[in-house]
Amino acid sequence: MSDGEERGGGGKCAFDKSMALFERAARVIPGGIYGHLSPIIRTPGATPYYAASAQGARFRDVDGNEFIDWLCAYGPMVVGYNNPRVEEAAEKQRKLGDCASVPGGIMVELAEFLVELIPFADWALFAKNGSDMTTWALQVARAHTGRRKIIMVEGTYHGAHAWCTPGHAGLVPGDRENILTFKWNDIVTFKKLVDEHEGQIAGAIMTPYHFPNWSDSVLPQTGFWTEVQAVCNRKGIVLILDDVRTCYRLHLQGSQELFRFRPDLSVHCKALANGYPLSACLGRKEFKNAASKVFATGSYWFSSVPMAASMATIKELKENDGVETMYRIGKLLWEGLEGLAKERGLTFALSGNPTMPYARFTNDNDLFRNQAFCAEMNRRGIFVHPHHNWFVSTAHTEKDVEITLEAADASFRAVKEKFGD
Ligand code: PMP
């Protein structure tokens, strides 16, 4: 597909090859496609299952359908698939070497670069994914304080490890015995937990705002972060920011800058290297000693190519006002969708930040309308998700928004026909 006409039309994508491949996968891969990429939590049968290629803000599936991709690989793609600058940096490093018996010099360069960029950070340590880094950060908090309990927000995703996985299988009661939870923005309960477990709380881990799957995103109330930081500082609790999903989309120097607070540790991943596997924990100097004692390693944690890609990604965002660009495009999309829905008498609302909006029909508690809407969008070559926030990249254009809105208009019409409101 190359023009808006086809996308805005009658919902033409078919997914036969995707389905055939999934049948093969189900025989040799548990679950076929597992975790957050599972088509089961999208719109089974009305969504691409496998990609063939990706370029800019689009990907092509194995059936040859092309999609404007508003999921951006669930966040990692931030400056466009195959971004020339990132690919050149990665290729240059690949030729020099990637995974070797000692780290590449690029590791030091990237750490210096991030420490210079992120105001509160005095050091950086690298891994491959968010789960490993959030879990490691908890260990640093425990090593630093000699305490064992951790406070987190109910319903927040921090990774696939036992202390925080949303899954149920394979867990034992002890996995969560040191985890305390409170509801997002409920500072009263937060303080109560701190008082009830005086001297036992090692760390508090939170995302910059609340973006649970299956429901609306919620921004921090005025004063929330100031109070959280004040309590943590007063009680010697290590404040850990999980910026895995949000980094480089809310603020180039880390999401704490947008909400004006100072974490002790912060975990970056996703947009950090435009799709190359890399995560980082950034920290204040007070925690460097504990950080150096908590064992950290992985077979690929020292690979140089993702580190070179990361430097290029962040430079690209910095030099081209990437965050502002994404915000502008996201806002166009946000207002366009709400406007169209309103014209049709539908209650469709977006929440969160325009660079990563969560969208749903407000009269749709079972999310069936959302599923129908996203299936219609998928069929028209627009990749969106009914239960997860979407993502904007700097590769998305005003034209992409225009094409998306054309498809949305037809998709809203289809939802209205099916559900009535
Ligand atoms: N924290 C947050 C807020 C996330 O969104 C994710 C990933 N979706 C993680 C942690 C875990 O990261 P990963 O999937 O790279 O392990």
Side-chain angles (χ1 to χ4, degrees):
M1 287 191 299
S2 56
D3 60 29
E5 217 174 283
E6 222 175 326
R7 267 192 210 94
K12 297 206 168 128
C13 296
F15 305 106
D16 302 340
K17 287 189 180 151
S18 265
M19 300 298 276
L21 210 49
F22 187 70
E23 268 187 48
R24 282 168 52 195
R27 281 185 221 121
V28 290
I29 300 172
I33 303 173
Y34 38 85
H36 67 301
L37 295 195
S38 169
I40 306 303
I41 55 165
R42 278 185 272 132
T43 45
T47 188
Y49 283 43
Y50 293 95
S53 62
Q55 182 65 38
R58 288 154 201 247
F59 77 91
R60 198 173 277 273
D61 71 5
V62 287
D63 285 277
N65 305 305
E66 190 182 273
F67 299 87
I68 297 180
D69 187 358
W70 293 107
L71 263 295
C72 296
Y74 291 74
M77 187 280 273
V78 67
V79 291
Y81 293 114
N82 273 326
N83 178 284
R85 183 175 186 169
V86 176
E87 292 314 307
E88 195 189 318
E91 192 50 35
K92 197 170 151 208
Q93 185 61 52
R94 197 174 291 120
K95 284 200 178 113
L96 292 170
D98 184 17
C99 194
S101 302
V102 293
I106 183 79
M107 184 171 178
V108 184
E109 280 178 48
L110 180 61
E112 285 173 347
F113 180 76
L114 291 173
V115 164
E116 176 75 22
L117 179 74
I118 315 286
F120 79 88
D122 297 306
W123 53 265
L125 182 140
F126 302 103
K128 290 286 116 199
N129 65 347
S131 307
D132 285 347
M133 273 290 76
T134 51
T135 304
W136 182 82
L138 300 197
Q139 280 184 267
V140 173
R142 286 169 170 153
H144 179 82
T145 57
R147 306 171 186 168
R148 55 175 67 184
K149 297 210 181 288
I150 300 291
I151 300 184
M152 65 174 273
V153 172
E154 227 173 273
T156 295
Y157 186 70
H158 291 299
H161 289 202
W163 67 271
C164 59
T165 175
H168 300 289
L171 300 177
V172 296
D175 289 332
R176 308 245 163 126
E177 90 188 2
N178 288 306
I179 305 294
L180 307 166
T181 60
F182 75 107
K183 286 197 169 38
W184 175 251
N185 268 335
D186 181 0
I187 193 71
V188 175
T189 308
F190 178 75
K191 285 178 176 166
K192 208 166 139 220
L193 284 178
V194 171
D195 288 343
E196 281 170 6
H197 299 86
E198 178 79 45
Q200 297 174 53
I201 298 173
I205 183 166
M206 288 171 227
T207 51
Y209 69 88
H210 195 44
F211 40 78
N213 290 345
W214 318 91
S215 60
D216 294 343
S217 294
V218 189
L219 296 176
Q221 274 167 11
T222 312
F224 175 75
W225 273 119
T226 315
E227 290 234 41
V228 167
Q229 187 189 327
V231 172
C232 287
N233 292 354
R234 202 164 55 242
K235 300 286 184 176
I237 295 167
V238 182
L239 178 55
I240 305 164
L241 175 65
D242 178 349
D243 215 0
V244 166
R245 196 182 302 186
T246 31
C247 63
Y248 311 103
R249 276 197 168 85
L250 305 192
H251 196 291
L252 188 72
Q253 294 173 297
S255 304
Q256 76 286 340
E257 298 304 306
L258 183 67
F259 298 117
R260 297 176 188 282
F261 67 100
R262 188 190 64 177
D264 296 318
L265 306 173
S266 176
V267 179
H268 288 196
C269 189
K270 300 217 178 238
L272 178 60
N274 203 44
Y276 283 88
L278 189 69
S279 57
C281 183
L282 301 144
R284 295 175 54 219
K285 57 178 177 303
E286 288 82 343
F287 305 92
K288 193 152 157 264
N289 188 33
S292 67
K293 289 187 188 144
V294 179
F295 191 63
T297 196
S299 297
Y300 306 102
W301 284 21
F302 298 91
S303 309
S304 295
V305 170
M307 296 182 189
S310 176
M311 291 256 280
T313 302
I314 299 169
K315 283 181 182 166
E316 176 76 7
L317 285 167
K318 191 173 179 182
E319 287 163 27
N320 295 310
D321 298 325
V323 176
E324 289 77 6
T325 304
M326 288 186 276
Y327 190 90
R328 185 176 52 78
I329 293 291
K331 198 103 175 101
L332 271 181
L333 179 67
W334 181 306
E335 286 168 0
L337 287 169
E338 284 194 340
L340 280 177
K342 202 168 169 197
E343 275 173 34
R344 299 211 168 275
L346 294 166
T347 52
F348 190 76
L350 291 94
S351 56
N353 184 284
T355 61
M356 30 184 292
Y358 177 80
R360 75 172 180 106
F361 296 83
T362 52
N363 58 340
D364 184 28
N365 285 339
D366 49 21
L367 297 177
F368 288 167
R369 285 172 183 76
N370 232 20
Q371 287 163 15
F373 174 73
C374 291
E376 291 289 337
M377 293 289 271
N378 283 181
R379 287 195 199 97
R380 289 175 170 82
I382 311 293
F383 194 68
V384 286
H385 199 298
H387 310 129
H388 192 285
N389 71 269
W390 309 350
F391 294 89
V392 178
S393 77
T394 62
H396 286 98
T397 61
E398 289 176 18
K399 182 73 185 165
D400 291 331
V401 173
E402 202 182 302
I403 297 167
T404 301
L405 293 179
E406 244 176 76
D409 198 26
S411 302
F412 281 139
R413 199 178 329 127
V415 170
K416 180 114 187 171
E417 271 164 24
K418 190 165 177 192
F419 294 92
D421 61 354

